[in-house]
Amino acid sequence: MSEPVTAQDLIDLGERVLQDSTHLFDDHDNRLEAEQLLAFSLDIDHDDLDADLEPPRRTRERYLSLIARRAGGEPFPFLTGSIEFYGLDLKVKPGAFVPRPSSELTVARAVKRLKGRRKPLVVDVCAGAAPIALAIADEVPGAEVWALDIDEEALRQGRGNARRLGIRNMHTRATDMYEGLPADLEGKIDVITGHVPYVPQGELEDMPTEVRDHEPIYTLTDESEDGLTLMRRAIVEGAPLLRPGGWMLMEMSDDLAKKVRKLYRKADLEDHGVASDDDGLSIVVEGRKPKESRGPTKAAR
Ligand SMILES: C[S@@+](CC[C@H](N)C(=O)[O-])C[C@H]1O[C@@H](n2cnc3c(N)ncnc32)[C@H](O)[C@@H]1O
């Protein structure tokens, strides 16, 4: 086969190589990724790509080496150094969980639940590099958003993006779950969001290289059999932090919804069902603290 020279040929080849890779999730849009990597190599916008363009040899080599790295399992945002998340250009580095486009649903649900609140308080637990917290803080400038994570390095990345983007209403705390949240916020939180690790221990080895070899293991799993130890803590320890009428919004894969809704009910949260988006990759389970606190049950008195 002759060497690919035009943008069209290079994209076709890149798409095929990514499709054949066994190191990636199979739900990526490989053609789009190939186009984006070619645009990145050419230092032009994706929209300006022209199928008949003939990139110089050095650019072609650069592009093919990026395709090879991607096919080997490197997360896409590590190749370009950034990801667009809820309209924000976030810089991304190895060492933390890579923000997923599917988490935009969590942001959208939080923004909906915050509508009409003038100075709402938001907690994003297991915030990582804080894409969810940053996007909420940006969308709802009157909100005070707390991003909590056990990993200071991930939060440092979040703070870097906040500075660059001029987002000033996000605070970060390196802490085990909610422990580092100021005590005077207890019972006042309007929305808790959480994209908590939830992969069961036994399913880790089924994850592709792009996840297993490039994201710290504690970002994926709490290493319990059902994967829900941290989820339980997020719900049980989070419920008392909510104000009456406040919302708990946990992101996960849809197979976990039933179990998590049960955990909500056990924590005395009203079950408001499951939100999903078109691609159905992730869902958000929604619960609400009753407006009138029911007080202790007979058995607990
Ligand atoms: C699935 S990642 C999600 C990160 C971020 N919310 C996002 O969507 O990009 C889970 C995060 O939980 C954090 N984590 C793990 N154990 C924790 C704990 N005990 N307390 C707080 N955060 C924890 C990890 O450091 C990781 O950043």
Side-chain angles (χ1 to χ4, degrees):
M1 203 183 109
S2 61
E3 201 186 324
V5 174
T6 64
Q8 176 79 53
D9 293 344
L10 287 159
I11 292 165
D12 288 346
L13 174 64
E15 183 185 14
R16 278 200 304 280
V17 172
L18 297 182
Q19 242 152 23
D20 289 345
S21 167
T22 53
H23 298 300
L24 306 174
F25 281 116
D26 50 20
D27 55 24
H28 293 296
D29 185 337
N30 294 315
R31 184 153 196 93
L32 181 64
E33 287 198 2
E35 287 171 6
Q36 287 173 332
L37 288 178
L38 184 57
F40 178 73
S41 306
L42 284 158
D43 202 15
I44 61 172
D45 282 345
H46 175 238
D47 290 345
D48 294 334
L49 261 186
D50 171 359
D52 298 327
L53 191 83
E54 294 192 5
R57 172 175 291 278
R58 282 180 69 115
T59 306
R60 298 200 305 265
E61 285 169 0
R62 185 169 176 226
Y63 163 74
L64 291 172
S65 115
L66 288 171
I67 288 286
R69 284 170 59 190
R70 180 69 183 127
E74 259 186 81
F76 185 89
F78 290 175
L79 301 175
T80 58
S82 66
I83 185 171
E84 195 192 306
F85 183 84
Y86 218 84
L88 297 176
D89 175 42
L90 301 181
K91 299 290 168 219
V92 179
K93 276 191 261 169
F97 186 82
V98 183
R100 306 286 200 265
S102 51
S103 296
E104 291 182 339
L105 175 65
T106 305
V107 178
R109 300 309 295 181
V111 171
K112 177 180 160 85
R113 299 310 185 190
L114 292 170
K115 233 178 216 134
R117 308 287 302 172
R118 256 178 17 96
K119 288 186 168 178
L121 282 165
V122 178
V123 171
D124 183 30
V125 71
C126 294
I132 296 169
L134 283 165
I136 295 173
D138 185 58
E139 281 292 310
V140 189
E144 179 179 320
V145 182
W146 288 80
L148 312 176
D149 199 280
I150 202 147
D151 181 12
E152 172 58 21
E153 165 53 28
L155 293 173
R156 189 176 302 128
Q157 290 192 23
R159 285 194 299 275
N161 277 312
R163 264 194 306 279
R164 220 173 33 82
L165 297 166
I167 295 172
R168 296 199 180 80
N169 51 334
M170 180 185 81
H171 310 277
T172 63
R173 281 282 186 285
T175 172
D176 182 16
M177 299 308 277
Y178 304 100
E179 273 172 20
L181 193 68
D184 62 342
L185 300 184
E186 185 164 344
K188 297 183 183 158
I189 307 299
D190 289 275
V191 166
I192 294 177
T193 52
H195 185 195
V196 173
Y198 57 71
V199 180
Q201 161 78 9
E203 287 178 22
L204 266 187
E205 61 188 36
D206 300 332
M207 306 291 280
T209 310
E210 68 172 316
V211 172
R212 261 189 307 137
D213 287 7
H214 293 277
E215 292 177 315
I217 187 138
Y218 57 84
T219 68
L220 307 171
T221 180
D222 55 33
E223 302 194 53
S224 62
E225 208 175 306
D226 69 356
L228 292 176
T229 299
L230 284 175
M231 184 70 80
R232 264 183 216 100
R233 285 189 60 195
I235 296 164
V236 170
E237 295 170 22
L241 302 176
L242 291 171
R243 68 166 173 84
W247 291 88
M248 173 87 66
L249 307 175
M250 290 289 145
E251 173 180 340
M252 67 205 71
S253 53
D254 60 0
D255 54 317
L256 297 175
K258 206 168 152 201
K259 283 186 187 162
V260 172
R261 289 172 78 176
K262 209 163 152 191
L263 293 174
Y264 274 23
R265 291 192 293 272
K266 266 177 96 174
D268 278 340
L269 295 172
E270 294 166 356
D271 181 354
H272 281 257
V274 173
S276 57
D277 56 14
D278 295 343
D279 59 20
L281 285 181
S282 282
I283 56 155
V284 175
V285 175
E286 303 196 311
R288 190 174 201 190
K289 189 154 169 174
K291 283 197 177 145
E292 294 297 324
S293 212
R294 286 182 221 134
T297 59
K298 235 180 188 178
R301 262 185 250 143

